[in-house]
Amino acid sequence: GDDDAGGDLVSPCSCSGSLKWIHERCLLEWQHTLRSQAHFSRARSCEVCRAPYKLPLLRAGVHGQPLHRRLLSLFRRTSMSVLEVFRSPSWAALAWRSWKSYVLMSAISQAARMGLGGLRAGVRLGHTLVTEQTAVLIQLLSTLADIMGSPYAELLWCQAAAAVVFGLVSEFAYTSVLGLAMGAVYGFATGYIGAVRGSVTLATHGTWQGLLVAVRGAAKLLRIAAPFLRKGGRVMRRGVVR
């Protein structure tokens, strides 16, 4: 039957006998308690018969429960189902987790963009340095080869060329990786700060907008109620005079 404290009696699992019936509101509060303690699997099924809880979406109830109460119960159960999907104990915790994910993803996205920009800048710098140094070193090695003029000149030239190539490749890789790392770090920092600043700005703007709407609503209500208040005041004064 219907009880003001606990709502309708329901049979949500496979239990029988005295354990078959439970107040719907009591069951929902018990599930909420379990979810708030991060026991999501325990909140989904009965601890006695191990059957998953099943509640009808909308039902008239034994004594014809009002529609608004049925809709409120549906909203409550839907809300708890959504929280269970995201494995969150409350909407506040879900909002906090979503905000942290948003800030982190914004920072990672900005880090990726700035990192690629830094990589391209490093590649261009490394290419410029390698091109300039290669031209100078090739001219120098050619001059040394002409000066040495010994049977070992070719061998020494090859060894020097290998060392030069290794040094140039290392320098090219170093500038590229350095540009990528610096761009990623700078992008992550700017993205994180930008996301936090945007959230604070949005929250502040929303708060001020809410206060403004509340003040305007109160002023409008006072304007509407002022004639009645003045009329009531005149009536009271007349009664006092009499």
Tab-separated table of all heavy atoms in Angstrom, residues 122-123 125-134 137 163-179:
chain	number	residue	atom	x	y	z
A	122	GLY	N	61.259	23.809	-34.503
A	122	GLY	CA	62.536	23.130	-34.280
A	122	GLY	C	63.085	22.501	-35.534
A	122	GLY	O	64.306	22.530	-35.775
A	123	VAL	N	62.199	21.919	-36.333
A	123	VAL	CA	62.647	21.318	-37.604
A	123	VAL	C	63.205	22.385	-38.534
A	123	VAL	O	64.255	22.195	-39.186
A	123	VAL	CB	61.483	20.560	-38.264
A	123	VAL	CG1	61.845	20.171	-39.700
A	123	VAL	CG2	61.138	19.316	-37.452
A	125	LEU	N	64.486	25.300	-37.649
A	125	LEU	CA	65.755	25.774	-37.102
A	125	LEU	C	66.868	24.760	-37.339
A	125	LEU	O	67.991	25.126	-37.752
A	125	LEU	CB	65.599	26.030	-35.600
A	125	LEU	CG	66.868	26.456	-34.852
A	125	LEU	CD1	67.405	27.762	-35.418
A	125	LEU	CD2	66.593	26.586	-33.352
A	126	GLY	N	66.570	23.481	-37.099
A	126	GLY	CA	67.580	22.455	-37.336
A	126	GLY	C	67.980	22.368	-38.791
A	126	GLY	O	69.162	22.194	-39.105
A	127	HIS	N	67.006	22.492	-39.693
A	127	HIS	CA	67.321	22.458	-41.125
A	127	HIS	C	68.217	23.619	-41.521
A	127	HIS	O	69.184	23.454	-42.297
A	127	HIS	CB	66.021	22.491	-41.928
A	127	HIS	CG	66.224	22.451	-43.407
A	127	HIS	ND1	66.321	23.601	-44.172
A	127	HIS	CD2	66.372	21.409	-44.267
A	127	HIS	CE1	66.512	23.268	-45.434
A	127	HIS	NE2	66.534	21.937	-45.525
A	128	THR	N	67.932	24.797	-40.975
A	128	THR	CA	68.761	25.971	-41.280
A	128	THR	C	70.185	25.787	-40.764
A	128	THR	O	71.170	26.046	-41.500
A	128	THR	CB	68.140	27.224	-40.651
A	128	THR	OG1	66.818	27.403	-41.154
A	128	THR	CG2	68.975	28.457	-40.979
A	129	LEU	N	70.324	25.338	-39.526
A	129	LEU	CA	71.653	25.134	-38.950
A	129	LEU	C	72.430	24.060	-39.709
A	129	LEU	O	73.630	24.211	-39.989
A	129	LEU	CB	71.527	24.748	-37.478
A	129	LEU	CG	70.965	25.827	-36.538
A	129	LEU	CD1	70.806	25.274	-35.130
A	129	LEU	CD2	71.883	27.046	-36.524
A	130	VAL	N	71.758	22.961	-40.017
A	130	VAL	CA	72.436	21.869	-40.725
A	130	VAL	C	72.876	22.310	-42.108
A	130	VAL	O	73.991	22.003	-42.558
A	130	VAL	CB	71.496	20.645	-40.810
A	130	VAL	CG1	72.042	19.612	-41.798
A	130	VAL	CG2	71.329	20.013	-39.439
A	131	THR	N	72.015	23.071	-42.785
A	131	THR	CA	72.369	23.528	-44.141
A	131	THR	C	73.595	24.441	-44.105
A	131	THR	O	74.543	24.273	-44.906
A	131	THR	CB	71.179	24.267	-44.764
A	131	THR	OG1	70.055	23.390	-44.814
A	131	THR	CG2	71.510	24.733	-46.172
A	132	GLU	N	73.582	25.396	-43.188
A	132	GLU	CA	74.706	26.329	-43.102
A	132	GLU	C	75.994	25.612	-42.700
A	132	GLU	O	77.054	25.821	-43.307
A	132	GLU	CB	74.387	27.441	-42.098
A	132	GLU	CG	73.242	28.344	-42.534
A	132	GLU	CD	72.890	29.373	-41.478
A	132	GLU	OE1	73.473	29.282	-40.364
A	132	GLU	OE2	72.065	30.259	-41.748
A	133	GLN	N	75.908	24.762	-41.659
A	133	GLN	CA	77.117	24.088	-41.182
A	133	GLN	C	77.624	23.057	-42.181
A	133	GLN	O	78.834	22.843	-42.299
A	133	GLN	CB	76.820	23.426	-39.830
A	133	GLN	CG	76.516	24.427	-38.727
A	133	GLN	CD	76.143	23.757	-37.418
A	133	GLN	OE1	76.273	22.546	-37.281
A	133	GLN	NE2	75.668	24.545	-36.462
A	134	THR	N	76.704	22.424	-42.899
A	134	THR	CA	77.147	21.442	-43.905
A	134	THR	C	77.955	22.109	-45.010
A	134	THR	O	79.002	21.587	-45.441
A	134	THR	CB	75.922	20.732	-44.506
A	134	THR	OG1	75.210	20.057	-43.473
A	134	THR	CG2	76.351	19.721	-45.558
A	137	LEU	N	81.417	22.973	-43.549
A	137	LEU	CA	82.250	21.808	-43.262
A	137	LEU	C	82.685	21.087	-44.534
A	137	LEU	O	83.813	20.566	-44.611
A	137	LEU	CB	81.478	20.851	-42.341
A	137	LEU	CG	81.254	21.369	-40.909
A	137	LEU	CD1	80.343	20.439	-40.132
A	137	LEU	CD2	82.596	21.512	-40.193
A	163	ALA	N	81.636	11.713	-38.712
A	163	ALA	CA	81.451	12.439	-37.459
A	163	ALA	C	80.610	13.683	-37.660
A	163	ALA	O	79.735	14.023	-36.833
A	163	ALA	CB	82.817	12.805	-36.870
A	164	VAL	N	80.867	14.378	-38.783
A	164	VAL	CA	80.103	15.586	-39.071
A	164	VAL	C	78.632	15.256	-39.302
A	164	VAL	O	77.724	15.931	-38.791
A	164	VAL	CB	80.707	16.313	-40.287
A	164	VAL	CG1	79.761	17.412	-40.769
A	164	VAL	CG2	82.059	16.909	-39.929
A	165	VAL	N	78.362	14.197	-40.082
A	165	VAL	CA	76.975	13.806	-40.350
A	165	VAL	C	76.256	13.435	-39.063
A	165	VAL	O	75.114	13.822	-38.822
A	165	VAL	CB	76.942	12.647	-41.357
A	165	VAL	CG1	75.525	12.076	-41.463
A	165	VAL	CG2	77.410	13.114	-42.725
A	166	PHE	N	76.940	12.668	-38.213
A	166	PHE	CA	76.336	12.286	-36.932
A	166	PHE	C	76.024	13.517	-36.084
A	166	PHE	O	74.956	13.621	-35.466
A	166	PHE	CB	77.274	11.349	-36.178
A	166	PHE	CG	76.754	10.939	-34.833
A	166	PHE	CD1	75.787	9.942	-34.723
A	166	PHE	CD2	77.210	11.546	-33.663
A	166	PHE	CE1	75.297	9.568	-33.477
A	166	PHE	CE2	76.726	11.177	-32.425
A	166	PHE	CZ	75.762	10.181	-32.326
A	167	GLY	N	76.966	14.458	-36.049
A	167	GLY	CA	76.743	15.678	-35.277
A	167	GLY	C	75.590	16.496	-35.824
A	167	GLY	O	74.769	17.028	-35.062
A	168	LEU	N	75.480	16.580	-37.154
A	168	LEU	CA	74.402	17.357	-37.754
A	168	LEU	C	73.037	16.706	-37.511
A	168	LEU	O	72.049	17.385	-37.217
A	168	LEU	CB	74.650	17.512	-39.256
A	168	LEU	CG	75.880	18.359	-39.644
A	168	LEU	CD1	76.063	18.371	-41.151
A	168	LEU	CD2	75.728	19.782	-39.110
A	169	VAL	N	72.993	15.371	-37.638
A	169	VAL	CA	71.730	14.664	-37.374
A	169	VAL	C	71.321	14.827	-35.916
A	169	VAL	O	70.142	15.042	-35.592
A	169	VAL	CB	71.861	13.176	-37.740
A	169	VAL	CG1	70.648	12.394	-37.275
A	169	VAL	CG2	72.038	13.020	-39.250
A	170	SER	N	72.306	14.737	-35.011
A	170	SER	CA	72.009	14.929	-33.592
A	170	SER	C	71.492	16.336	-33.313
A	170	SER	O	70.550	16.528	-32.542
A	170	SER	CB	73.263	14.652	-32.759
A	170	SER	OG	73.710	13.313	-32.953
A	171	GLU	N	72.114	17.308	-33.945
A	171	GLU	CA	71.674	18.685	-33.747
A	171	GLU	C	70.264	18.896	-34.289
A	171	GLU	O	69.435	19.560	-33.667
A	171	GLU	CB	72.643	19.636	-34.445
A	171	GLU	CG	72.345	21.101	-34.197
A	171	GLU	CD	73.385	22.003	-34.825
A	171	GLU	OE1	74.179	21.513	-35.648
A	171	GLU	OE2	73.398	23.199	-34.486
A	172	PHE	N	69.977	18.290	-35.449
A	172	PHE	CA	68.646	18.400	-36.035
A	172	PHE	C	67.598	17.759	-35.112
A	172	PHE	O	66.529	18.335	-34.859
A	172	PHE	CB	68.634	17.721	-37.401
A	172	PHE	CG	67.326	17.815	-38.123
A	172	PHE	CD1	66.985	18.958	-38.815
A	172	PHE	CD2	66.423	16.757	-38.098
A	172	PHE	CE1	65.771	19.052	-39.484
A	172	PHE	CE2	65.209	16.848	-38.752
A	172	PHE	CZ	64.884	17.991	-39.449
A	173	ALA	N	67.900	16.556	-34.597
A	173	ALA	CA	66.966	15.882	-33.688
A	173	ALA	C	66.805	16.664	-32.386
A	173	ALA	O	65.704	16.767	-31.840
A	173	ALA	CB	67.459	14.459	-33.409
A	174	TYR	N	67.908	17.216	-31.887
A	174	TYR	CA	67.870	17.966	-30.632
A	174	TYR	C	66.971	19.196	-30.743
A	174	TYR	O	66.119	19.450	-29.882
A	174	TYR	CB	69.288	18.372	-30.232
A	174	TYR	CG	69.345	19.332	-29.075
A	174	TYR	CD1	69.125	18.895	-27.772
A	174	TYR	CD2	69.612	20.687	-29.280
A	174	TYR	CE1	69.168	19.773	-26.706
A	174	TYR	CE2	69.656	21.576	-28.222
A	174	TYR	CZ	69.438	21.118	-26.934
A	174	TYR	OH	69.475	21.988	-25.887
A	175	THR	N	67.132	19.955	-31.809
A	175	THR	CA	66.309	21.149	-31.976
A	175	THR	C	64.840	20.785	-32.172
A	175	THR	O	63.945	21.470	-31.658
A	175	THR	CB	66.800	21.970	-33.166
A	175	THR	OG1	66.843	21.137	-34.354
A	175	THR	CG2	68.187	22.527	-32.913
A	176	SER	N	64.579	19.688	-32.895
A	176	SER	CA	63.193	19.274	-33.124
A	176	SER	C	62.529	18.842	-31.823
A	176	SER	O	61.412	19.266	-31.496
A	176	SER	CB	63.142	18.142	-34.148
A	176	SER	OG	63.729	18.540	-35.373
A	177	VAL	N	63.211	17.981	-31.048
A	177	VAL	CA	62.648	17.488	-29.785
A	177	VAL	C	62.505	18.625	-28.783
A	177	VAL	O	61.515	18.705	-28.037
A	177	VAL	CB	63.516	16.353	-29.217
A	177	VAL	CG1	63.052	15.958	-27.819
A	177	VAL	CG2	63.478	15.144	-30.145
A	178	LEU	N	63.495	19.525	-28.751
A	178	LEU	CA	63.417	20.662	-27.840
A	178	LEU	C	62.226	21.556	-28.176
A	178	LEU	O	61.503	22.008	-27.282
A	178	LEU	CB	64.715	21.463	-27.909
A	178	LEU	CG	64.801	22.666	-26.956
A	178	LEU	CD1	64.709	22.201	-25.510
A	178	LEU	CD2	66.096	23.445	-27.197
A	179	GLY	N	62.014	21.807	-29.462
A	179	GLY	CA	60.860	22.608	-29.859
A	179	GLY	C	59.551	21.931	-29.502
A	179	GLY	O	58.606	22.578	-29.023
